[in-house]
Amino acid sequence: MSLISFVLPAYNEEANIPLIFQSIREQFLNSTYQYEILFVDDASTDRTLETIKCLAVRHREVRYISFSRNFGKEAAILAGLQHVTGDAMILMDTDLQHPTALIPKLIAGYEEGYDQVIAKRDRTGESRIRKLAAQTYYQLVNKIVDVELEDGVGDFRLLSRDAIDAILRMNENQRFSKGLFSWIGMGQKTITYQNVLRQNGETKWSFTQLFNYGIDGLISFNSKPLRFCFYTGVSILMLSMLYILFTLFGIVQDGVETPGYFTLISAILLLGGIQLVSLGIIGEYVGRIYFETKQRPAYLIQETNMQRKSVNEQKKGRVYKIHRHRGN
């Protein structure tokens, strides 16, 4: 029988862990597939890890990885990709906003031969401001980046083993999974579902985190902002030359006049602002190069009930474990 692996990143989801486990389990009561559920605890500060470990004691299909500190959702997704053993993997959030009722449809798409079966949500229940901001962002980003990002398409999807292996061949540390999923291409099928609002707990995404995540999406898959800086610099240079020639012609024709304060300040602020923006964009790219050259691991594992990997496998997959290893 084929094995379906689930990867569920979790951060302070104590109340939702038993619910999502039971909900997934119900989908396999009459299924011919085997399944495993891998919870990736991102150093939660509540009893999330203890709740997962209790499930792991009672249910052999439950696996867990616990980070040494909070490394973020992207690191949790990478850890899941590196550790699952199934013929296919379903990536879901632990907050119950990804309906488990879609699991049979995702598996059906996999049986049809698709390497990616993607769950796309609508924006039912969201505020108009949030909807407008999301629509504007995706319109902008799709004109800039080299991959296609679709509004409503997130991490909730099924990946075949071929798709998993393709993603793992990309070793960058600064990861943007939405872009990586789109970049590998392969056969894709999309399933639409109605947006589900969170019932327990609070969202872990602040406005600042969402804004920074959006910047990652803009920068991770293109160098067009750098080209934009170049074009802007050339345009400003040409306009400056025209202004100098125009001013020189006025001096020759009418003589020297008292220079205007407004013109001087405007020129300084305009050019200074363009320079600062350009340096900021260049700095983002240089910073990413800096962090990539360090070759630091994307995460550190504090505790797990999964089998240890060999040293060579750890180096190849950039997986590092510290302190202790516990079984069920």
Side-chain angles (χ1 to χ4, degrees):
M1 293 187 294
S2 296
L3 176 65
I4 303 295
S5 297
F6 287 84
V7 172
L8 287 85
Y11 178 68
N12 290 349
E13 297 288 356
E14 174 186 354
N16 290 323
I17 295 297
L19 300 177
I20 189 69
F21 167 74
Q22 185 61 33
S23 186
I24 292 174
R25 191 181 184 191
E26 290 174 355
Q27 299 300 322
F28 286 88
L29 292 178
N30 299 314
S31 175
T32 58
Y33 286 90
Q34 293 181 328
Y35 69 97
E36 66 173 0
I37 302 176
L38 172 56
F39 291 98
V40 184
D41 174 47
D42 196 12
S44 299
T45 56
D46 62 359
R47 292 182 54 82
T48 294
L49 178 59
E50 288 75 11
T51 304
I52 295 172
K53 290 166 70 173
C54 288
L55 286 176
V57 170
R58 299 195 301 268
H59 304 281
R60 296 180 58 186
E61 63 270 21
V62 175
R63 307 283 186 265
Y64 67 86
I65 293 171
S66 180
F67 289 167
S68 63
R69 68 167 179 83
N70 185 270
F71 285 95
K73 186 177 180 181
E74 289 294 337
I77 292 174
L78 177 60
L81 288 166
Q82 291 175 333
H83 285 83
V84 292
T85 59
D87 301 285
M89 180 196 90
I90 296 178
L91 177 61
M92 301 180 66
D93 287 345
T94 319
D95 56 11
L96 300 174
Q97 290 188 266
H98 292 165
T100 56
L102 290 180
I103 291 174
K105 293 183 178 180
L106 296 176
I107 295 177
Y110 169 67
E111 291 174 342
E112 293 172 12
Y114 292 99
D115 289 294
Q116 291 198 66
V117 188
I118 305 163
K120 176 184 177 181
R121 67 183 176 91
D122 59 23
R123 294 198 172 272
T124 303
E126 292 187 353
S127 65
R128 292 183 179 180
I129 295 177
R130 189 180 181 90
K131 290 180 182 179
L132 179 61
Q135 292 172 357
T136 303
Y137 171 77
Y138 281 101
Q139 289 175 359
L140 172 64
V141 76
N142 283 322
K143 291 180 180 179
I144 298 177
V145 301
D146 299 326
V147 296
E148 183 71 21
L149 301 180
E150 191 173 354
D151 187 11
V153 171
D155 301 322
F156 186 19
R157 66 186 64 215
L158 179 144
L159 300 171
S160 69
R161 173 50 59 181
D162 288 340
I164 295 171
D165 293 339
I167 293 172
L168 289 178
R169 284 198 288 270
M170 294 179 281
N171 291 322
E172 61 256 41
N173 228 332
Q174 302 289 319
R175 303 180 71 85
F176 182 69
S177 291
K178 286 184 181 181
L180 296 177
F181 295 148
S182 179
W183 188 86
I184 65 172
M186 310 183 79
Q188 299 182 9
K189 178 180 181 179
T190 301
I191 299 171
T192 304
Y193 70 96
Q194 188 174 6
N195 184 41
V196 178
L197 300 179
R198 173 185 280 270
Q199 297 180 1
N200 299 313
E202 298 179 353
T203 180
K204 309 305 184 297
W205 290 90
S206 65
F207 174 79
T208 302
Q209 290 173 318
L210 287 172
F211 184 77
N212 290 332
Y213 190 66
I215 293 176
D216 289 339
L218 286 172
I219 293 178
S220 295
F221 286 88
N222 77 104
S223 61
K224 291 180 181 177
L226 292 175
R227 187 64 57 85
F228 174 76
C229 291
F230 174 77
Y231 288 151
T232 302
V234 171
S235 300
I236 294 299
L237 177 61
M238 294 177 64
L239 291 174
S240 300
M241 293 299 296
L242 290 175
Y243 178 76
I244 291 172
L245 292 174
F246 177 79
T247 304
L248 180 60
F249 177 78
I251 291 174
V252 172
Q253 185 176 19
D254 303 323
V256 178
E257 296 181 359
T258 302
Y261 174 80
F262 176 78
T263 303
L264 178 62
I265 294 300
S266 298
I268 293 174
L269 293 176
L270 176 62
L271 294 176
I274 292 173
Q275 290 172 347
L276 289 174
V277 171
S278 300
L279 286 174
I281 294 174
I282 295 171
E284 282 289 332
Y285 284 94
V286 173
R288 289 169 183 272
I289 295 172
Y290 172 71
F291 284 112
E292 290 293 338
T293 56
K294 284 179 175 291
Q295 292 292 300
R296 289 176 178 171
Y299 57 87
L300 296 173
I301 296 178
Q302 179 86 15
E303 189 175 344
T304 181
N305 67 342
M306 303 191 73
Q307 294 295 322
R308 289 183 180 273
K309 293 189 175 184
S310 67
V311 174
N312 289 333
E313 287 178 316
Q314 289 182 15
K315 290 181 178 179
K316 183 178 179 181
R318 299 170 76 179
V319 180
Y320 294 83
K321 301 181 181 182
I322 63 174
H323 292 309
R324 58 190 178 275
H325 171 84
R326 295 182 180 177
N328 286 346

